[in-house]
Amino acid sequence: AIVVWLNPSFRQMCNQVMSDVPGAALMLACLLVERWAERKPSVRRDLILGVAIGLASYVRSVNVLLVPAILCARAAAHLCEQRWGGWGSGWLAFVRSRALGLAIATALVVAPWSIRDSLSRPDPPVDQNFLYSYSTAMWHVDGGDPSSPRRPLSAIFERVPQRAQQITSMLGSRMSTSEGSALEIAIGAFMLAAIVVALVRRRSSAEFMALGVTVVLAVYFGFQGRLVLPVWLLALAALVDCVLWAITRAVNAIAARAAVIVALAALVWVDWAPYRDVDRIEAIHAAYMRTCDAFRQRLAPDARVAAPIGWHYSVYLDRPVYSLFFAVRRDGEMEAAERVIDEYGINTVVLWSAIPADQSMLPYFRERYGDDNAFPGGSVFRVRP
């Protein structure tokens, strides 16, 4: 736990307004609820567990994989108890008493948001976000347009070699890079093997969950290192458990635990960097503050604002800022920005030359609208009356 808490990448993720760390915390909490449910199995406890998983999935949708993970663990335990018996009354009773309550409770909790999504779908293609939906991004050529051609399965599985390298690199580098060295990739592969060993030894839901998330990431349409966080948390525990189990076969338990503790303490020492990137982060924040203050001074009272990507400007200007980049990227021409401007009633565009997407649009807006309302590094264009 100390190794995780003091890991620089984990520290950084804890200070980002994103769902990864809360989602991982809720995943671990659900595994604790499952442990409570297993101590005295009952439909009532399964319903409570299902509600917990459903609520956790609202924070991070990958948490819904806890349901198949728990059911796989229970099925494996039941299979061992049946001594590899066939499908019969024992399995029917298992499904009724150990599977249905959990699955139904989770589905009922998740259903309202799914219904909400189905009733409020945007008109494709979307122009204010990268994606129309995760499903569209996964299965369609254009992630922002569900009417675009579907990807062939071969294209989905072509992702596996690259994703495998990225996942193992993140694990082996302790969440610091997806382009790690051969040694870091090998360590990451060893951590995945440790999950398999732990799964064979214990057949618990945690290992099924870790492998389930790994399989999803192996074919996922995009990759961000933070997506590996739940796998890393569970893989680190599995690695410690596996190493401790192996060492204990050669030396006594006290010596084995001491060796593992020393190794983990060394890892904390190597990783210790509580202020990593602080200067860079502060400099970026200060630059946004200065630039957006300059923008604010030049905005008319009736300004309805857009930028290539408006999300950060929305935060610093404390007002809605629409995005032009996604429509331009899709159409491959700047005229697409004009359609977004007209559709949302935009009359002002702000561009900051320090941002690559902004810089690429500067020549077009300068030529079409002039650059009278400019300051060093930034421009404010009045694009409509």
Side-chain angles (χ1 to χ4, degrees):
I2 294 172
V3 169
V4 170
W5 187 249
L6 297 180
N7 174 270
S9 297
F10 186 76
R11 291 283 86 234
Q12 183 171 338
M13 283 188 281
C14 284
N15 287 279
Q16 293 176 332
V17 187
M18 302 187 75
S19 64
D20 302 280
V21 171
L26 289 172
M27 174 194 73
L28 297 175
C30 288
L31 290 172
L32 291 176
V33 175
E34 184 227 357
R35 187 178 296 179
W36 165 80
E38 288 298 309
R39 283 201 292 266
K40 192 176 180 181
S42 69
V43 173
R44 182 182 68 85
R45 293 197 175 201
D46 275 358
L47 293 176
I48 294 172
L49 176 59
V51 170
I53 294 173
L55 294 176
S57 300
Y58 275 78
V59 176
R60 194 79 183 150
S61 56
V62 73
N63 284 334
V64 79
L65 292 180
L66 283 165
V67 174
I70 291 170
L71 294 182
C72 284
R74 291 180 177 182
H78 182 75
L79 194 62
C80 291
E81 291 174 0
Q82 294 294 313
R83 299 182 181 277
W84 303 91
W87 286 86
S89 58
W91 281 104
L92 293 175
F94 167 82
V95 171
R96 185 175 62 253
S97 64
R98 302 287 285 145
L100 279 181
L102 172 62
I104 291 174
T106 305
L108 288 176
V109 174
V110 173
W113 187 257
S114 301
I115 295 171
R116 174 263 174 200
D117 277 355
S118 66
L119 295 177
S120 58
R121 297 187 186 279
D123 295 328
V126 292
D127 55 29
Q128 293 302 300
N129 206 339
F130 284 111
L131 309 175
Y132 182 88
S133 66
Y134 290 141
S135 176
T136 300
M138 184 73 186
W139 304 109
H140 291 264
V141 172
D142 184 346
D145 188 356
S147 65
S148 64
R150 291 182 68 88
R151 295 181 185 273
L153 284 177
S154 59
I156 304 296
F157 289 110
E158 282 174 359
R159 302 165 179 164
V160 173
Q162 181 185 14
R163 294 288 181 266
Q165 180 175 338
Q166 291 168 324
I167 293 167
T168 52
S169 177
M170 288 300 301
L171 294 175
S173 67
R174 302 180 301 288
M175 298 297 293
S176 66
T177 179
S178 61
E179 299 177 354
S181 64
L183 176 60
E184 289 169 329
I185 292 172
I187 293 172
F190 185 74
M191 293 179 74
L192 290 178
I195 295 175
V196 175
V197 171
L199 179 65
V200 172
R201 292 180 59 220
R202 288 199 301 263
R203 298 180 299 278
S204 75
S205 55
E207 287 77 43
F208 278 111
M209 178 66 177
L211 292 180
V213 176
T214 301
V215 170
V216 170
L217 293 180
V219 295
Y220 204 51
F221 63 87
F223 186 85
Q224 297 288 333
R226 56 186 175 81
L227 302 179
V228 184
L229 178 61
V231 181
W232 180 63
L233 295 174
L234 298 173
L236 183 61
L239 177 64
V240 171
D241 178 73
C242 183
V243 170
L244 188 60
W245 170 72
I247 296 177
T248 304
R249 299 171 69 88
V251 299
N252 65 66
I254 295 177
R257 290 175 182 173
V260 171
I261 289 173
V262 169
L264 292 174
L267 204 57
V268 172
W269 178 261
V270 170
D271 279 349
W272 180 254
Y275 299 106
R276 187 182 74 174
D277 281 349
V278 165
D279 292 340
R280 180 183 64 85
I281 294 168
E282 287 182 343
I284 293 172
H285 171 68
Y288 264 105
M289 291 289 288
R290 290 191 303 269
T291 303
C292 288
D293 281 344
F295 283 149
R296 190 179 294 107
Q297 294 169 14
R298 290 163 173 78
L299 293 178
D302 67 337
R304 190 170 173 88
V305 186
I309 298 179
W311 307 334
H312 292 77
Y313 295 126
S314 292
V315 173
Y316 283 94
L317 292 173
D318 194 25
R319 65 190 299 160
V321 179
Y322 293 88
S323 296
L324 306 174
F325 174 79
F326 308 114
V328 171
R329 182 182 65 174
R330 176 174 288 106
D331 287 16
E333 57 182 10
M334 284 300 303
E335 289 300 321
E338 301 293 338
R339 292 199 300 273
V340 176
I341 288 169
D342 290 332
E343 180 178 352
Y344 295 101
I346 294 161
N347 58 25
T348 305
V349 172
V350 298
L351 299 175
W352 181 16
S353 60
I355 306 298
D358 294 32
Q359 191 176 45
S360 67
M361 293 189 181
L362 266 172
Y364 171 83
F365 282 96
R366 280 175 176 164
E367 180 180 351
R368 180 153 185 167
Y369 297 103
D371 202 3
D372 299 330
N373 199 4
F375 59 94
S379 300
V380 178
F381 299 93
R382 185 77 179 195
V383 296
R384 296 292 184 272

